[in-house]
Amino acid sequence: MKRRDLLKSGAAGAMILSAPSILRAQGAALKVGTYGGYFQDSFDEHIYPDFTAASGIEIESIGEPTGEAWLVQLQQAARARQAPADVSMMAQVARIKGERSELWAKLDESKMPNVANLPDHFVHRYEDGSLNGTGAVSWYITLVTNTDAFAEAPTSWQAFWDPANADKIGLMSLASNSFLLEITAATHFDGTDILDTEEGVLQVMEKLAEVKSNVRLWWRDEGQFQQALETGEIPMGQYYHDVTGLAASQGKPVRSTFPDEGAVLDSGSWVVSSASQMVDQSQVFIDYMAQPEIQAKLSRMVGTAPTVPRDMTDLTEEEFAAVSSDKEPILPKYEIYVDRGDWINQQWSENITG
């Protein structure tokens, strides 16, 4: 993955881990799935060895496919009472689909005190209130510009609608990963509540369609857009804050701006397969990952934004700014891509990217 390869090349520095209380466990290794490639390599190197030293629980690292392919594998395996992984890092749409089919094990919060560190949007529950998952890692999508082309940093997503930016913008091509509906709603409709109805979604799409003449590239390939941004060929767009900041630190003429309306905060979450025979060990792992010092370690070594409040971590100003912001984020309305996914994709193709 281009983005993560870049982060990996830029990650540096030693980490002193404050170990949690020692918890000893016996038996088979706990199978933990993360996105394959950079994430898996980083967890293998920076997280699992220290977790095992602290808990006594061995980890078998599993590389997952991204998207919903892993959800399908987990569902099929669960029907046979098998668990390809006990704990999995899941994207939000896949997590919600798994929740609705009760694929995830119910977790015992009394054994996971560090979950209390997480804000509500990183605590996932069934309708009966029982816990079924927690935020694992998060990252921001921000407004990015080429500094040679734009001497002043834009302060608002409204820059996408500015006629002066005709043919200058690169945007992600899918509704479900660009979150441009949420950006448009936050910028022009006082928040994302308007996306709760199909009429509202169409209203927002109509407004978003006004940017089409300014868009030069609807991108799927991160590397393609990043190169175009760095050369100034496409001097404005939406991209990942952490990668843009890393490129800027390497002398590239790019900047990342957290707009007045907020940047998009996307995330992956931990869930446990209902077929797992190691729920107790899984809870120890998830609780370990919710510690502020471990979230700070992820920020330093993996480049993700902390899922716990900033003041709970020991991140310096520079370390925090490299991955996050104090500004209120735009939270994606993941549910609409589950409830109305096919309809939104059709409307998106017809009205936005078509």
Side-chain angles (χ1 to χ4, degrees):
M1 184 181 293
K2 176 72 172 179
R3 172 174 178 244
R4 293 300 160 193
D5 288 346
L6 281 166
L7 285 172
K8 184 177 183 179
S9 66
M15 172 68 193
I16 299 173
L17 173 67
S18 298
S21 59
I22 302 299
L23 298 168
R24 292 295 170 193
Q26 302 293 329
L30 179 69
K31 293 180 287 188
V32 179
T34 63
Y35 309 139
Y38 174 74
F39 266 108
Q40 185 179 12
D41 292 344
S42 296
F43 274 74
D44 286 350
E45 180 177 359
H46 302 298
I47 300 298
Y48 298 150
D50 287 340
F51 169 74
T52 297
S55 68
I57 300 172
E58 296 288 341
I59 295 289
E60 179 182 344
S61 176
I62 306 291
E64 309 168 2
T66 56
E68 296 186 26
W70 186 239
L71 174 68
V72 173
Q73 290 184 44
L74 291 174
Q75 289 172 324
Q76 292 174 340
R79 284 193 282 272
R81 302 305 302 166
Q82 296 177 347
D86 300 290
V87 183
S88 293
M89 181 187 291
M90 298 297 291
Q92 298 306 322
V93 170
R95 178 191 63 74
I96 293 170
K97 289 182 177 179
E99 178 181 287
R100 293 186 179 182
S101 63
E102 299 187 1
L103 180 61
W104 313 133
K106 293 183 178 181
L107 305 176
D108 185 348
E109 287 182 82
S110 69
K111 297 179 179 177
M112 308 168 69
N114 288 304
V115 170
N117 298 329
L118 303 173
D120 288 345
H121 61 264
F122 284 137
V123 179
H124 313 306
R125 300 182 185 280
Y126 285 117
E127 290 187 359
D128 66 2
S130 57
L131 184 72
N132 65 54
T134 66
V137 293
S138 60
W139 56 88
Y140 282 91
I141 299 169
T142 59
L143 173 56
V144 297
T145 45
N146 181 290
T147 55
D148 292 335
F150 291 89
E152 298 288 333
T155 60
S156 168
W157 291 111
Q158 299 227 26
F160 288 168
W161 281 262
D162 189 336
N165 295 324
D167 201 33
K168 293 182 179 177
I169 296 174
L171 301 178
M172 297 184 196
S173 63
L174 301 177
S176 58
N177 71 0
S178 68
F179 306 114
L180 282 164
L181 292 176
E182 287 87 341
I183 289 171
T184 304
T187 304
H188 295 282
F189 296 93
D190 295 326
T192 58
D193 288 350
I194 191 173
L195 299 173
D196 289 342
T197 67
E198 290 189 357
E199 292 77 12
V201 171
L202 289 175
Q203 241 185 297
V204 172
M205 277 197 188
E206 185 178 359
K207 186 63 184 178
L208 178 59
E210 295 176 9
V211 309
K212 290 170 66 174
S213 61
N214 287 356
V215 176
R216 184 163 182 179
L217 175 69
W218 293 98
W219 60 267
R220 289 174 181 264
D221 183 293
E222 296 175 12
Q224 180 188 12
F225 174 68
Q226 180 165 339
Q227 183 176 20
L229 178 69
E230 291 177 358
T231 61
E233 179 186 356
I234 302 176
M236 175 179 281
Q238 59 171 167
Y239 200 47
Y240 299 105
H241 170 69
D242 45 15
V243 179
T244 306
L246 179 60
S249 73
Q250 296 171 342
K252 305 291 175 54
V254 296
R255 70 163 74 84
S256 168
T257 302
F258 282 80
D260 296 337
E261 302 86 357
V264 175
L265 180 62
D266 196 8
S267 62
S269 288
W270 298 120
V271 292
V272 180
S273 169
S274 59
S276 171
Q277 302 300 307
M278 302 186 72
V279 174
D280 286 343
Q281 293 89 336
S282 298
Q283 291 175 163
V284 173
F285 176 78
I286 293 173
D287 188 59
Y288 176 88
M289 295 304 300
Q291 295 177 99
E293 55 266 40
I294 303 303
Q295 285 298 311
K297 182 179 182 181
L298 285 171
S299 295
R300 294 182 176 113
M301 308 307 292
V302 186
T304 54
T307 57
V308 300
R310 175 188 186 177
D311 59 8
M312 297 182 76
T313 74
D314 63 350
L315 293 171
T316 66
E317 291 282 339
E318 184 178 2
E319 289 171 336
F320 182 77
V323 296
S324 191
S325 167
D326 288 322
K327 284 188 176 179
E328 191 74 21
I330 296 173
L331 298 177
K333 302 274 285 189
Y334 297 112
E335 290 82 1
I336 67 174
Y337 304 106
V338 178
D339 297 333
R340 301 187 175 94
D342 291 342
W343 178 79
I344 286 178
N345 289 336
Q346 180 183 347
Q347 296 295 327
W348 185 263
S349 298
E350 293 176 0
N351 300 313
I352 304 300
T353 57

